[in-house]
Amino acid sequence: MDNLKTQGISMPKLGLGTFRMQGDACRAAVESALALGYRHIDTAEMYANEEPVGDALAASRVSRSELHLTTKVWHENLTPDAIRRALDASLKKLRLDQVDLYLVHWPSRSANWGAVFETLLKLKEEKRVRAIGVANFTTALLKIAVEDVGAPIACNQIEYHVMFDQSKVLNYLAAKSIPLVAYCPLAQGRVAADPVLAEIGKKYDATAAQVALKWLLDHEGVAAIPKASRRESQKANLDALKITLDDVDRKKIAALPKDKRCVNPGFAPHWD
């Protein structure tokens, strides 16, 4: 599997998202994914599943050096002391001394970004996190982090799929050589019913979802973390990597409406 190199880490382009997975079901899903060959697992303190993720990692025979683990600090914990407490709790639940990537999960209107990133950098210097990044940041917020603060951002994790245009953020990230990690890459299942994607899939004996996922992963500097609790779905997502889309396919996908947002940013600032 291809990896993205960013800020000293190597992140597999296809990972497993764990949002809304809980308890034994979460542990079983992560164990299944690791057995299939996944090496990129994404979690967050807000998901309340770091403990079962940690249990699955501990039970796995995969060496720690082969794994990429991302977790995130919630927007309510963006003061220096709170960030440290949140990471302490996350590491304990994950049964790890270090995470590969630690993200600001959501922006906060009250955050002092200089203090936030200074704290995250200290955690990196202390080798408790290997790299730092953000999630759900607009271009305006990215400019604050990257240009004003000068933070070494390893990625921006945002909603991105064939049905939602993220070209503005994507162009900014590409110009700064910062990867985009796509959550909801299958538009929460909506892509499965799309006739255009299904038609393209027939050419490759593939599903509409596999076509949508491969379209994302074909983008330079883009990774994806589809949530998949069943082994069959996890394997199908892996098998999407075998598809080779052509220019005709890409033109058909480009013509699809790009206005279907699945996750409401809610309290996140709408600066753009």
Side-chain angles (χ1 to χ4, degrees):
M1 186 186 299
D2 289 343
N3 284 29
L4 294 176
K5 304 288 196 298
T6 175
Q7 296 296 340
I9 61 172
S10 182
M11 177 171 55
K13 286 195 67 160
L14 179 62
L16 178 75
T18 63
F19 181 45
R20 292 189 178 136
M21 292 185 189
Q22 299 290 319
D24 290 342
C26 178
R27 174 176 174 162
V30 175
E31 287 181 346
S32 166
L34 293 173
L36 282 169
Y38 283 78
R39 295 296 180 262
H40 174 174
I41 308 296
D42 182 274
T43 183
E45 67 164 312
M46 189 273 282
Y47 299 171
N49 64 10
E50 289 172 313
E51 197 163 353
V53 169
D55 291 343
L57 296 178
S60 170
R61 295 182 181 179
V62 181
S63 74
R64 178 66 184 92
S65 62
E66 292 180 40
L67 288 171
H68 172 93
L69 194 287
T70 296
T71 194
K72 313 175 193 79
V73 57
W74 193 229
H75 71 100
E76 295 171 352
N77 292 327
L78 292 181
T79 60
D81 288 346
I83 290 170
R84 285 189 170 274
R85 286 194 298 270
L87 181 61
D88 286 343
S90 290
L91 289 174
K92 185 176 181 180
K93 290 173 183 175
L94 290 164
R95 297 207 248 172
L96 297 175
D97 297 323
Q98 178 188 66
V99 293
D100 299 287
L101 187 53
Y102 197 43
L103 306 183
V104 174
H105 197 156
W106 279 101
S108 166
R109 294 183 188 276
S110 60
N112 177 333
W113 293 117
V116 167
F117 290 113
E118 181 182 3
T119 304
L120 293 174
L121 276 175
K122 285 178 181 174
L123 295 172
K124 183 179 177 182
E125 289 167 7
E126 293 164 14
K127 302 192 183 305
R128 304 181 71 219
V129 305
R130 295 183 60 221
I132 63 171
V134 297
N136 303 295
F137 268 41
T138 60
T139 50
L141 283 171
L142 286 167
K143 286 175 182 176
I144 292 172
V146 176
E147 298 173 31
D148 297 349
V149 178
I153 300 301
C155 80
N156 185 22
Q157 186 181 118
I158 57 175
E159 177 181 345
Y160 185 37
H161 46 76
V162 295
M163 296 178 169
F164 188 55
D165 178 40
Q166 286 284 23
S167 56
K168 185 174 181 179
V169 178
L170 191 58
N171 289 339
Y172 180 85
L173 293 171
K176 300 294 183 181
S177 299
I178 299 171
L180 184 157
V181 177
Y183 69 74
C184 293
L186 303 178
Q188 293 183 338
R190 291 174 176 81
V191 299
D194 186 85
V196 173
L197 297 173
E199 178 192 359
I200 294 170
K202 287 178 183 176
K203 289 169 55 178
Y204 306 106
D205 193 25
T207 66
Q210 287 175 316
V211 170
L213 186 56
K214 187 54 161 58
W215 175 85
L216 265 184
L217 296 173
D218 277 349
H219 285 68
E220 188 174 347
V222 173
I225 48 168
K227 186 188 82 167
S229 56
R230 296 185 306 117
R231 185 182 187 280
E232 295 81 1
S233 299
Q234 293 173 354
K235 187 174 187 308
N237 291 341
L238 274 179
D239 287 343
L241 296 169
K242 301 173 184 175
I243 300 170
T244 302
L245 299 174
D246 60 30
D247 288 340
V248 174
D249 302 328
R250 282 188 280 271
K251 283 178 183 175
K252 289 179 180 178
I253 293 170
L256 291 173
K258 302 280 191 258
D259 57 354
K260 293 181 176 63
R261 180 188 279 279
C262 298
V263 177
N264 183 349
F267 46 77
H270 293 273
W271 305 328
D272 207 1

